[in-house]
């Protein structure tokens, strides 16, 4: 029992981390989202570039932001066709961003890009803590099981490293499962990197995908 008491004392001594996104007018973050998939024997890669620019901050800490896609017209057309079941993909949209990672589109029927709310626990957490989130986009409904694994440096910035297990809800279409590792910037709370693999199934159609997202503040020196 001594080892258990020692573990409890050590655990209580671990600092708590409040993982929240800081929103300031004028902030801009540039993102590249790459999705490489194999479906029906064919492999394809889609790459999406976009910039989030915070226009104004509200009294409750939320912010109005503008999201601008930066893609070649043919690539945008292909991505629009893929995203059609989940909403319309527009070159420029406006959003309400929240410190807890939620993103609400101010334009109706748009495709939700960059919503990583599952990486933000609803309470302060210690390293090793776990939490869960459920999210729905159109007919796709999944459960995210997350764990704060630790803190490490990525591209010169200290980040929270969060392990995420993705599980489908029973009525979800398609069914999606997989695992990801998310890095959230400790200072700003914005997402810097996501890497993972996902499997999606709808009836007899099944696809495997490798997902990578990279983010950085606009103007940050390498």
């Amino acid at each position: 029992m001594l080892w258990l008491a020692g573990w409890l004392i050590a655990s209580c001594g671990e600092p708590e981390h409040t993982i929240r996104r800081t929103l300031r007018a004028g902030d801009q973050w540039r993102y590249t989202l790459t999705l490489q998939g194999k479906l029906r024997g064919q492999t394809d890669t889609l790459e999406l570039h976009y910039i989030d620019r915070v226009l104004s901050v509200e009294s409750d800490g939320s912010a109005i932001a503008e999201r601008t896609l930066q893609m070649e017209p043919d690539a945008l057309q292909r991505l629009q066709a893929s995203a059609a079941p989940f909403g319309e993909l527009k070159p420029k949209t406006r959003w309400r961003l929240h410190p807890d990672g939620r993103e609400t589109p101010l334009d109706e029927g748009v495709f939700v890009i960059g919503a990583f709310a599952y990486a933000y626990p609803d309470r302060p957490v210690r390293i090793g803590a776990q939490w869960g989130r459920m999210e729905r986009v159109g007919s796709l409904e999944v459960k995210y099981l997350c764990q704060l694994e630790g803190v490490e440096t990525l591209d010169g910035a200290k980040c929270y490293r969060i392990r995420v297990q993705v599980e489908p809800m029973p009525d979800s279409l398609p069914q999606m499962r997989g695992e990801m590792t998310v890095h959230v910037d400790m200072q700003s709370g914005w997402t810097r990197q996501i890497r993972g693999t996902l499997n999606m199934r709808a009836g007899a159609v099944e696809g495997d995908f490798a997902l990578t997202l990279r983010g950085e503040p606009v103007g940050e020196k390498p």
Side-chain angles (χ1 to χ4, degrees), residues 52-121:
D52 281 349
R53 180 166 64 96
V54 178
L55 303 177
S56 62
V57 179
E58 307 298 311
S59 59
D60 63 354
S62 67
I64 304 299
E66 182 178 74
R67 179 164 296 159
T68 304
L69 298 183
Q70 299 180 317
M71 300 181 65
E72 295 295 329
D74 59 333
L76 180 58
Q77 186 175 10
R78 288 167 56 213
L79 192 60
Q80 284 175 329
S82 300
F86 307 111
E88 184 179 358
L89 195 61
K90 297 180 179 180
K92 187 170 290 189
T93 51
R94 287 165 66 91
W95 298 75
R96 182 179 295 277
L97 309 183
H98 299 267
D100 63 2
R102 288 177 296 129
E103 300 187 354
T104 306
L106 300 181
D107 304 311
E108 292 187 4
V110 300
F111 176 58
V112 178
I113 303 169
F116 316 124
Y118 51 82
Y120 297 82

Side-chain angles (χ1 to χ4, degrees), residues 28-74:
Q28 296 186 69
W29 277 70
R30 178 188 297 110
Y31 284 99
T32 298
L33 174 64
T34 304
L35 192 65
Q36 185 176 42
K38 186 174 183 181
L39 184 66
R40 291 177 173 171
Q42 295 186 339
T43 301
D44 195 9
T45 301
L46 289 173
E47 194 168 81
L48 173 68
H49 303 269
Y50 64 94
I51 289 180
D52 281 349
R53 180 166 64 96
V54 178
L55 303 177
S56 62
V57 179
E58 307 298 311
S59 59
D60 63 354
S62 67
I64 304 299
E66 182 178 74
R67 179 164 296 159
T68 304
L69 298 183
Q70 299 180 317
M71 300 181 65
E72 295 295 329
D74 59 333

